[in-house]
Amino acid sequence: MHGYTGKTLIIDLSSGKVTEKEMGTQSYFEYIGGLGINSKILLAEVDPSVDPLGEQNVLIFGVGPLVGTLACTANRTDVTAKSPLTGLLGTTNSGYTWGPELKFCGYDHLVVKGKSQSPVYVFIDNGEVTVLDATHLWGRDSWDTIRTIKNELRDKEISVACIGVGGEKLVKFAAIENGFYGAWGRTGLGAVMGSKNLKAVALRGRKDVTVSDPDGFLESLHEMRERIMSHPTYNPWRQFGSMLAVDIYYALGVLTGYNQKEPLGEDFIESMGRENLLKYKKKSIGCTACPICCAHWVEIEEGPYKGLKLKGIEITSTMDFGARCGIRNLAAIAKATELFQKYGIDCSTAAGSIALATELFQEGIITGKDTDGLELKWGDEPLIFELLRKIAHREGFGDLLAEGPVEMVRRIGKGSQEYLAQNRGLETNSRDPRTRWDVWSFGFLINARGGDHLRVQSPAENLRESAPEGEYFYELSPPEKVVARIDIFHDWKQEIFDFERNTVSIPHMAAWCQDLMNIVNSLGICIRPPVLHSLGPTIYSRLLTTLTGIEFSPEDVRKAGERITNIQRVFNFKAGEKREDMKYGPKFYNMPIKGRRLDKDKVDEVLDEYFRVRNWDPKTALPTAEKLRELNLGKLGSNLAS
Ligand code: SF4
């Protein structure tokens, strides 16, 4: 087999049994790899009604066929399990070296089942698997854990995925740290790892990835590289990385802050805009095989955080702790980054819990009696860092925050539900659906993992202007010559774009780009704009065919993305998510911002049209029997009927 190793490693921590399973060519053809195969395994192995922190949940690490090759940005690993935070399909993606190393160990997927009696860590050395005692690592932060494992195994080059104290304490939004500076952050899968008493997975591999048609593959790689490096977003992304978008969104007037309570003012952009990054940035750094290198090595040379050196200051942490919690100092964002990485908790939900608590405190719904005597204020750096510590250790008030915002308001009551700025259990970033309605904000409703912003992104965004207020079915299109370069099939372009009206159909584009992002996360490459906006199913089919020797047409690739969307929805339905649960947090419907709030009836009309585009039943949000048969998923239909 070329491209793929063809093997899945299964470790049962209850029985101690280690087995391997061959994955057939048909599975790769239908689900590509990475997220796609992970989703297939989850649906097959896990009863969607199980307790996410019980022994029956499984934790799946998966890399795509491009990982471990020279393909640009082919370093991503998707981790999948039932989420303890949302109760839905949990999936989270990260880069660096861990994914390629899994491939070099001889595996495409690692499935961890059961629960160890005591803390352990797994070492996979070029295909040889050892389960080692981790009692001495339990209680240590993630950086200390990684350093200790590298020393113990006497190899600084080993790639380590581990949990911090947050995962051990089953914080509902615990992350799995990916080396010192990356993380599988969203949906709380660090808690699933902690529930299995699994502290870390360390990898060292030397096996080759073979290629079916080396000349053809190299030719496709050149085209891939050329497209990425000639895309207009390439150079700005090299300089500013994700911080590029802070100023763009601010200029559009779409950012909101303080638990999405009000628009952000000039003080925000003056202190948190992208130029401020350059005060601290020493160099660009990147993941394996990436020509973009969008990340920043930063050093803080003065002030209270003097001496701090790390990879950090991204738009996500800036929005989470800057916009949402009120910090106005990028050096403090770097400090927050150090803390949430060491504790092993997701920055977005951690900030979501803190921001919600702060708003509830200011509204008098909770008081010092609830907060261990702490007076919650916006932008109070030492207080926010103390709350992060309390969350990670589930200490006092931190025990409530560690449950995440949805459970917090359920326990607090007293009308706190109205302040929830989460969608289907997850935070959006601070690009607010009330201030800009588009494919991205509609995506919060249909994203399989909950309402965040990273799984439904359009490759054709107009970032210069927004559609008129009150328009729900369309966003504005970029110029026709820009659209001409985007790899969207002709028949889809005709449904999506109307160049006379200069519009993009939100339901059609949402379906296209949701499937596209499933493809990207299944191939094992990055979703950053220079990649997402410049590539599509046509070049992906050539890369796959020349690499693996399995004949993929562009339509086969698109259909694989659609198939993944469909099985993810089936999992979520079986986990209990009904059509009526597909809605925004109450704040977005009930509390206006700049005089605007979402109209639930109009949102539901767009959702119904999206279901029609997908050939799903609008009452259940489930694929019709016809759609399942078309995707070779007919058997799922009979299961659903029963
Ligand atoms: S673009 Fe950034 S996040 Fe993506 S692979 Fe490259 S360095 Fe990693």
Side-chain angles (χ1 to χ4, degrees):
M1 187 164 272
H2 300 290
Y4 302 100
T5 69
K7 281 196 223 155
T8 296
L9 176 68
I10 303 162
I11 301 176
D12 186 332
L13 291 174
S14 296
S15 65
K17 234 167 101 180
V18 177
T19 50
E20 287 179 359
K21 195 173 168 188
E22 302 276 331
M23 189 71 68
T25 304
Q26 186 67 17
S27 294
Y28 292 127
F29 180 73
E30 291 188 336
Y31 296 95
I32 299 176
L35 170 66
I37 299 268
N38 281 10
S39 303
K40 174 183 157 68
I41 294 172
L42 188 74
L43 189 60
E45 296 282 334
V46 174
D47 172 351
S49 66
V50 295
D51 171 7
L53 299 179
E55 262 182 70
Q56 273 72 40
N57 203 0
V58 301
L59 187 64
I60 310 160
F61 298 78
V63 294
L66 292 179
V67 173
T69 73
L70 294 174
C72 294
T73 77
N75 54 63
R76 316 291 302 183
T77 308
D78 213 274
V79 184
T80 310
K82 182 175 177 184
S83 163
L85 182 66
T86 63
L88 303 174
L89 180 139
T91 148
T92 172
N93 193 283
S94 186
Y96 305 103
T97 61
W98 199 93
E101 208 70 34
L102 182 67
K103 199 81 166 278
F104 302 150
C105 282
Y107 301 109
D108 300 313
H109 298 269
L110 163 64
V111 179
V112 183
K113 297 181 167 182
K115 175 182 181 176
S116 169
Q117 291 291 318
S118 60
V120 291
Y121 78 94
V122 169
F123 178 37
I124 307 174
D125 188 5
N126 208 32
E128 215 167 283
V129 183
T130 325
V131 180
L132 297 155
D133 176 49
T135 315
H136 60 302
L137 299 172
W138 211 249
R140 294 200 192 190
D141 74 45
S142 66
W143 289 7
D144 193 13
T145 300
I146 294 165
R147 265 194 296 267
T148 306
I149 289 176
K150 285 176 182 248
N151 285 339
E152 271 175 20
L153 300 175
R154 296 183 186 179
D155 188 344
K156 295 230 172 328
E157 300 303 315
I158 280 173
S159 295
V160 181
C162 73
I163 55 170
V165 176
E168 295 173 12
K169 297 282 184 188
L170 308 183
V171 172
K172 291 280 174 61
F173 44 90
I176 302 170
E177 297 302 311
N178 179 6
F180 290 109
Y181 302 119
W184 291 277
R186 303 247 68 188
T187 68
L189 303 195
V192 176
M193 193 155 156
S195 74
K196 297 186 175 306
N197 273 329
L198 177 61
K199 181 70 178 174
V201 180
L203 304 175
R204 175 170 58 198
R206 290 177 294 274
K207 294 181 196 279
D208 291 330
V209 178
T210 61
V211 178
S212 167
D213 168 8
D215 290 343
F217 187 55
L218 260 183
E219 199 179 304
S220 302
L221 288 183
H222 282 309
E223 184 186 338
M224 180 189 203
R225 194 176 177 84
E226 161 64 22
R227 280 168 174 252
I228 290 172
M229 293 176 67
S230 62
H231 194 268
T233 58
Y234 173 73
N235 281 320
W237 265 81
R238 275 181 70 78
Q239 185 178 14
F240 293 109
S242 59
M243 290 296 284
L244 181 67
V246 176
D247 296 56
I248 294 172
Y249 296 157
Y250 181 79
L252 273 172
V254 299
L255 293 181
T256 57
Y258 310 103
N259 199 36
Q260 300 195 258
K261 182 166 73 77
E262 56 191 71
L264 289 171
E266 264 177 33
D267 65 312
F268 177 78
I269 202 65
E270 276 167 13
S271 53
M272 310 299 271
R274 65 190 181 204
E275 293 296 331
N276 292 286
L277 168 70
L278 304 180
K279 288 187 227 161
Y280 309 109
K281 177 170 175 166
K282 295 296 168 197
K283 60 179 177 182
S284 295
I285 49 177
C287 309
T288 303
C290 181
I292 305 165
C293 295
C294 76
H296 322 293
W297 182 258
V298 300
E299 297 184 5
I300 312 298
E301 288 166 343
E302 54 190 31
Y305 312 114
K306 184 176 171 180
L308 182 61
K309 299 176 183 183
L310 79 174
K311 174 200 152 284
I313 309 190
E314 300 283 341
I315 189 170
T316 303
S317 47
T318 301
M319 289 296 134
D320 290 337
F321 291 96
R324 199 176 287 276
C325 294
I327 286 178
R328 294 288 180 269
N329 168 14
L330 280 188
I333 298 299
K335 182 65 189 174
T337 303
E338 180 196 23
L339 295 176
F340 63 69
Q341 284 176 340
K342 283 184 169 176
Y343 293 139
I345 52 179
D346 175 43
C347 59
S348 296
T349 306
S353 291
I354 292 170
L356 172 67
T358 305
E359 190 175 10
L360 296 180
F361 187 90
Q362 305 228 328
E363 292 292 329
I365 293 172
I366 58 173
T367 69
K369 283 192 191 136
D370 306 296
T371 64
D372 306 332
L374 296 170
E375 192 185 331
L376 305 191
K377 290 189 298 240
W378 299 114
D380 184 334
E381 294 165 19
L383 174 80
I384 289 169
F385 301 155
E386 170 62 1
L387 289 173
L388 287 176
R389 190 191 66 76
K390 278 176 168 281
I391 289 171
H393 292 86
R394 280 190 174 271
E395 182 190 294
F397 181 51
D399 190 41
L400 177 63
L401 300 186
E403 290 296 312
V406 174
E407 180 61 14
M408 279 170 66
V409 298
R410 197 188 68 75
R411 292 190 190 180
I412 292 168
K414 298 189 269 185
S416 57
Q417 164 82 12
E418 288 301 305
Y419 297 86
L420 205 55
Q422 277 63 30
N423 302 306
R424 299 166 57 237
L426 285 187
E427 295 65 36
T428 69
N429 72 0
S430 292
R431 227 183 76 162
D432 197 296
R434 291 165 296 182
T435 50
R436 176 163 158 126
W437 176 256
D438 57 9
V439 171
W440 201 349
S441 42
F442 175 69
F444 306 156
L445 281 189
I446 58 171
N447 177 349
R449 72 177 179 181
D452 86 340
H453 59 289
L454 286 175
R455 296 293 167 104
V456 186
Q457 286 179 11
S458 169
E461 271 189 297
N462 182 333
L463 287 173
R464 293 183 194 280
E465 47 187 345
S466 301
E469 189 181 338
E471 177 57 73
Y472 278 78
F473 273 87
Y474 301 100
E475 67 173 63
L476 296 184
S477 165
E480 199 168 348
K481 66 176 193 294
V482 173
V483 174
R485 287 201 301 264
I486 301 174
D487 182 9
I488 296 177
F489 299 161
H490 180 70
D491 53 336
W492 277 83
K493 272 190 180 167
Q494 287 194 314
E495 297 283 358
I496 292 171
F497 297 100
D498 180 337
F499 290 111
E500 274 173 27
R501 295 177 59 215
N502 187 31
T503 56
V504 171
S505 160
I506 288 175
H508 286 88
M509 183 56 120
W512 172 271
C513 57
Q514 184 175 27
D515 297 344
L516 179 72
M517 293 190 79
N518 279 336
I519 295 164
V520 170
N521 287 325
S522 300
L523 288 165
I525 57 175
C526 188
I527 61 167
R528 298 301 203 194
V531 182
L532 190 70
H533 294 192
S534 67
L535 308 176
T538 308
I539 185 163
Y540 294 148
S541 70
R542 284 204 291 275
L543 285 161
L544 279 166
T545 302
T546 52
L547 172 64
T548 67
I550 305 168
E551 199 68 39
F552 284 88
S553 71
E555 173 59 10
D556 293 332
V557 174
R558 187 206 64 77
K559 206 167 233 182
E562 185 184 8
R563 189 174 290 113
I564 296 162
T565 301
N566 277 263
I567 64 164
Q568 290 175 336
R569 174 60 200 142
V570 168
F571 184 91
N572 283 344
F573 173 79
K574 289 183 166 187
E577 190 185 51
K578 302 189 188 71
R579 159 68 179 81
E580 51 271 30
D581 299 325
M582 298 171 89
K583 60 186 180 202
Y584 295 92
K587 191 169 232 179
F588 299 102
Y589 295 114
N590 302 335
M591 294 190 185
I593 207 155
K594 293 183 175 177
R596 296 169 73 163
R597 59 182 159 194
L598 295 180
D599 180 326
K600 184 155 188 325
D601 291 341
K602 287 192 174 161
V603 169
D604 282 345
E605 282 173 25
V606 184
L607 200 49
D608 284 345
E609 176 63 8
Y610 163 83
F611 295 142
R612 193 195 62 73
V613 171
R614 284 235 171 267
N615 197 1
W616 289 4
D617 179 346
K619 288 201 183 70
T620 58
L622 272 175
T624 60
E626 182 190 18
K627 174 53 71 180
L628 289 174
R629 275 196 305 276
E630 181 196 318
L631 295 170
N632 197 24
L633 294 170
K635 279 193 190 139
L636 279 185
S638 42
N639 288 344
L640 287 174
S642 64

